[in-house]
Amino acid sequence: LRKESDITTGIEHRPQQASRLLRHLQKQGASVTLKSDHWDEALIESTIARGPHKSAHEYAEFLREEMTDFVKKGYWIVLPYKALRNQRKQFKLLRVNPMGVVPQRARRPRLIVDYSFLDLNRDTVKLAPQEAMQFGHALHRILHSIVDSDPQYGPVKLIKVDIADGFYRIWLNLDHIPKLAVAIPSLKGEEPLLALPLVLPMGWTESPPYFCAA
């Protein structure tokens, strides 16, 4: 279901520091490496019984519409919990985290996963380049670049780009996605459903540095 990578082919031949990492993200996807052992079945069952955050139930209709759109775009897949139970390899890696919905003023709500609720973020081994996230002093850096630019190429032009669903442009390692599984609301009488991200999800601690690196 996942679409082609948004990272250009031949990236490994580009003369840049991140080319090796970008090649890995293009071919394999971001790794999800955890410090702790696998969850036992009792813990998995308890998280299934608990389900998503209250906010997910409050915005259940919006969440299902949004998730349907994301499935069509190849960002997520949605499966019945029992389907994963029948897959021994995937079930062994399974961690179930609660989905939430964050309302935003004058904008549509945003889906987010609470990967801190059961300490998955704290349990994650930091493999993404943290130095890729450069926050603060943006104006100073921009002005510095303008002043240092070579005038022989003409006047400096600036562009501001807003990448829609930015994190969703970077793949996850397919073998690791059960570790980032998400409980989503089920309709009355419907069996428990799990959403699994095929790309970097909102709420995971490694999503920002991997995205910024790309």
Side-chain angles (χ1 to χ4, degrees):
L1 292 175
R2 189 164 66 182
K3 311 302 181 184
E4 292 185 6
S5 173
D6 282 317
I7 298 177
T8 185
T9 56
I11 193 68
E12 68 275 15
H13 303 304
R14 303 292 180 88
Q16 58 178 324
Q17 186 179 358
S19 59
R20 190 173 177 181
L21 170 64
L22 294 176
R23 169 70 170 179
H24 177 76
L25 294 177
Q26 182 207 41
K27 292 296 183 181
Q28 303 295 328
S31 299
V32 184
T33 304
L34 304 177
K35 303 171 189 175
S36 64
D37 296 331
H38 304 310
W39 281 6
D40 58 35
E41 187 172 343
L43 179 55
I44 294 175
E45 290 288 347
S46 69
T47 58
I48 291 293
R50 187 192 65 247
H53 272 178
K54 179 182 177 182
S55 60
H57 291 290
E58 293 172 348
Y59 289 87
E61 184 176 347
F62 163 79
L63 188 150
R64 293 173 77 94
E65 291 175 357
E66 192 83 340
M67 190 59 67
T68 299
D69 181 55
F70 286 161
V71 168
K72 291 178 180 177
K73 291 178 178 177
Y75 298 156
W76 290 78
I77 57 174
V78 176
L79 296 172
Y81 169 57
K82 70 176 183 180
L84 280 166
R85 281 198 56 131
N86 295 333
Q87 302 293 326
R88 174 175 288 186
K89 180 181 177 181
Q90 284 75 20
F91 187 73
K92 186 177 180 181
L93 298 175
L94 190 62
R95 312 268 183 123
V96 182
N97 304 274
M99 172 72 80
V101 179
V102 179
Q104 299 187 101
R105 184 175 181 180
R107 299 180 65 183
R108 65 190 177 105
R110 173 170 297 194
L111 304 186
I112 191 167
V113 186
D114 190 353
Y115 287 115
S116 297
F117 188 79
L118 293 166
D119 289 334
L120 187 138
N121 276 339
R122 185 183 300 176
D123 199 31
T124 298
V125 177
K126 302 296 192 296
L127 299 176
Q130 302 295 314
E131 66 274 14
M133 295 189 294
Q134 299 179 27
F135 297 115
H137 308 289
L139 179 60
H140 175 82
R141 294 202 310 271
I142 291 171
L143 294 176
H144 195 278
S145 297
I146 293 173
V147 171
D148 284 350
S149 65
D150 191 335
Q152 71 170 318
Y153 297 110
V156 174
K157 298 179 180 180
L158 303 180
I159 183 171
K160 177 184 179 294
V161 178
D162 184 6
I163 303 176
D165 301 323
F167 287 0
Y168 290 173
R169 305 297 168 174
I170 310 299
W171 283 359
L172 280 176
N173 187 318
L174 288 178
D175 291 333
H176 297 175
I177 65 172
K179 301 175 185 179
L180 299 180
V182 179
I184 62 175
S186 301
L187 297 178
K188 187 175 181 180
E190 190 177 54
E191 59 186 291
L193 297 175
L194 292 180
L196 297 103
L198 303 176
V199 290
L200 295 179
M202 289 287 294
W204 184 43
T205 185
E206 289 281 79
S207 292
Y210 272 128
F211 171 72
C212 288

